[in-house]
Amino acid sequence: MNFTQSFRLAIKSLLTSKMRALLTMLGIIIGVSAVIVIVGLGNGIQVYMTEQFASLGTTTLTVNISGRGTSRNASDEEMYQIVADNPEVLSAVTPTVSVSGGVKIGRDTLYTASITGVGEDYLDIHGYTVAQGRGIQYVDILRRQKVCVIGTYVAQNYFTGDPVGQTLKISGNPYTVVGVLDEIGDSTEYSTDNMVLIPYTNAAKMSFMGTISSYTFTAVDENSVQPAKSAVENALYNIYGDEDAYTVVAMSEMLDMMTEMVNIVITILAAIAAISLVVGGIGIMNIMLVSVSERTREIGIRKSLGARRRDILWQFVIEAGTTSAIGGILGIGMGYVFSSAATALIVALLQESLAVTPTAGSVAMAFGISVAIGVLFGYLPARKAARLNPIDALHYD
C-alpha cells in the first residue's frame, strides 16, 4: 500500500467519526494557536521596542553625572570639548535638564507637560523637526533668552491660531514660543508631543542643584557607538578620576538587553504553551489505540490477504500524522485569528500601535512539532496493530 492509499484511508477514518476526530485534534489546535500567538506577541514587542528606541536614536549615548566621591564637576564646555576632540566617533552633544512644575498658558496650567532644558543640537540628535518657527539656537543658550519650543499637543490644545510669538509661563517667568515641533507620537496628553523645550542654561538656573547632570551624545554612525562610548568614558575618567562619578549607557546596548529579556520570556511562555501539544499527542495516541481495537478484524483480514507488518504500521502512523497535521492547519488558522483579535485589543486598551505578528518561522515550527508529535505518539498504537496475529485478529469480537 502506497502513501496515497494510506492517506485516503486516514481521511475516510476521520470523516467516519467527525466529532471524535475534532476532539482528538483539540489539544493540537490549542497548542499550535497558542505558540503562534505568543511568538507573534514577542515579535510585535521587539518591533515596538526597536521603533521606540529608534525615536530616541540607536546611536545615542546617555551620560549621567553623579559626582560621587569627588567635588569635581564637569562643565558643559568640557562636554562639548569631548566631541571636538573625537570628531571621528562623536558628532554632537546636548545637555538635558529636567524642570519640575507646571506650564501656565493663559488661565490654564499644564502639569503633565515635560519641561526640558536642551542644547542647540537636541532636535537633530533625536530626529525631531520643526513644523513652525525655529528651534533653540546657540544665542538663546548664551544669553539665557526666555524662549521655548513646544510640542503639537501643547500647540493644538492651549493656543489659538499660530502659537509662534505667543507666550507661556514657566516658574512664573514668561517665555516666548519660537517654534512648534512636528507630531512625534499621537499628540495625547501623555505622549512625547506634550513637551516644552527651553535653553539648558535657563533650566540649570531653575533646577534645585543649579548644575547639569545629564548629557546626550550621538555617535557618527552605528559602527562608532562602542568607540564613542569608550572615548566619553576615558574623557570623564580624566576629569573625575573615579568611575563611580558617572555612567555612560548606549541606547543600542539597552535595546539588545531588552530584546534578550523579551526573547527569554517569550521562549518560556512558548514552551509552556507547547505542553498542550504534548497533551494533544497523548489524545492522538489514546484515540489510535481505540481505533486499533475497533479495527482489529479489518487488520486481520488485510494481513490474511497479504498485507505486511510494514503496511499496517505505515497505515496507522500516516493516520496519526494526518490527524495532527489537520489539527495543526486548523491551529494555524486560529492562531492568525487570535493574533488579529489580540492586536485590536491591545490598540483599544493601551492605545499603542503594537501588532501581534506571527512569523513564518514560528508557524512552520508549530506545525512541524504538531505533526512530529502526532507521528511519535501514533507509533505505539501502529506498532501494536502491526504485531497483531492475523488468526487472533480474525477471531476478535
Side-chain angles (χ1 to χ4, degrees), residues 137-153:
Q137 297 178 347
Y138 176 73
V139 66
D140 302 324
I141 297 166
L142 185 64
R143 298 179 181 178
R144 291 183 180 174
Q145 297 185 151
K146 291 183 171 59
V147 294
C148 66
V149 176
I150 60 176
T152 55
Y153 174 80

Side-chain angles (χ1 to χ4, degrees), residues 39-52:
V39 175
L41 178 61
N43 186 53
I45 292 174
Q46 288 182 4
V47 172
Y48 178 78
M49 287 195 309
T50 302
E51 290 175 350
Q52 295 301 309

Side-chain angles (χ1 to χ4, degrees), residues 53-336:
F53 275 91
S55 66
L56 297 175
T58 53
T59 59
T60 58
L61 306 171
T62 301
V63 176
N64 290 303
I65 308 296
S66 62
R68 185 183 305 169
T70 176
S71 59
R72 180 77 168 88
N73 187 58
S75 64
D76 53 338
E77 288 84 0
E78 288 175 303
M79 291 298 186
Y80 278 100
Q81 189 60 43
I82 295 175
V83 176
D85 292 340
N86 300 275
E88 67 283 355
V89 292
L90 290 168
S91 60
V93 63
T94 176
T96 53
V97 183
S98 296
V99 179
S100 58
V103 178
K104 188 171 181 59
I105 306 171
R107 295 182 179 181
D108 299 317
T109 302
L110 182 58
Y111 291 103
T112 55
S114 62
I115 310 169
T116 308
V118 301
E120 66 273 21
D121 293 319
Y122 181 86
L123 299 184
D124 291 333
I125 288 174
H126 290 279
Y128 300 156
T129 56
V130 178
Q132 298 171 252
R134 63 174 178 84
I136 301 297
Q137 297 178 347
Y138 176 73
V139 66
D140 302 324
I141 297 166
L142 185 64
R143 298 179 181 178
R144 291 183 180 174
Q145 297 185 151
K146 291 183 171 59
V147 294
C148 66
V149 176
I150 60 176
T152 55
Y153 174 80
V154 181
Q156 293 172 359
N157 292 275
Y158 293 92
F159 288 94
T160 56
D162 186 357
V164 176
Q166 300 189 49
T167 61
L168 52 80
K169 288 187 177 181
I170 301 173
S171 298
N173 298 308
Y175 278 75
T176 302
V177 177
V178 295
V180 179
L181 297 178
D182 268 326
E183 188 176 31
I184 302 166
D186 52 8
S187 288
T188 59
E189 184 176 3
Y190 298 100
S191 69
T192 312
D193 296 300
N194 189 10
M195 70 162 68
V196 177
L197 305 178
I198 63 176
Y200 72 84
T201 46
N202 298 41
K205 189 176 181 180
M206 291 190 304
S207 67
F208 177 75
M209 297 296 294
T211 58
I212 303 169
S213 60
S214 179
Y215 294 85
T216 301
F217 288 81
T218 182
V220 173
D221 52 42
E222 292 185 359
N223 295 327
S224 303
V225 172
Q226 288 305 318
K229 182 181 178 183
S230 298
V232 173
E233 288 176 334
N234 292 336
L236 291 174
Y237 186 80
N238 291 334
I239 294 172
Y240 289 100
D242 185 356
E243 293 180 352
D244 294 331
Y246 55 85
T247 57
V248 182
V249 179
M251 288 295 107
S252 58
E253 292 178 344
M254 291 182 64
L255 176 59
D256 291 341
M257 181 175 65
M258 292 293 292
T259 300
E260 184 178 351
M261 292 174 62
V262 169
N263 285 337
I264 292 173
V265 173
I266 294 301
T267 300
I268 293 172
L269 292 176
I272 294 172
I275 293 175
S276 59
L277 289 175
V278 178
V279 175
I282 294 173
I284 289 175
M285 181 173 67
N286 180 57
I287 205 66
M288 292 304 298
L289 286 170
V290 173
S291 180
V292 169
S293 298
E294 291 176 345
R295 296 159 63 185
T296 301
R297 287 181 61 84
E298 175 193 329
I299 295 169
I301 293 171
R302 290 192 59 201
K303 281 198 168 187
S304 66
L305 294 175
R308 295 166 296 181
R309 281 191 177 186
R310 184 176 60 187
D311 297 327
I312 303 298
L313 178 69
W314 273 110
Q315 178 187 346
F316 283 92
V317 166
I318 290 173
E319 187 170 322
T322 301
T323 303
S324 58
I326 294 175
I329 292 170
L330 294 175
I332 291 171
M334 288 187 64
Y336 276 98

Side-chain angles (χ1 to χ4, degrees), residues 5 22 34 72 193 197 236 248 338 349 352 356 360 362 394:
Q5 290 175 316
L22 181 61
R72 180 77 168 88
D193 296 300
L197 305 178
L236 291 174
V248 182
F338 289 151
L349 295 180
E352 295 288 349
V356 180
S362 66
L394 285 171

Side-chain angles (χ1 to χ4, degrees), residues 378-391:
Y379 177 77
L380 182 62
R383 186 167 175 265
K384 178 183 177 182
R387 288 188 171 187
L388 283 175
N389 185 292
I391 303 300

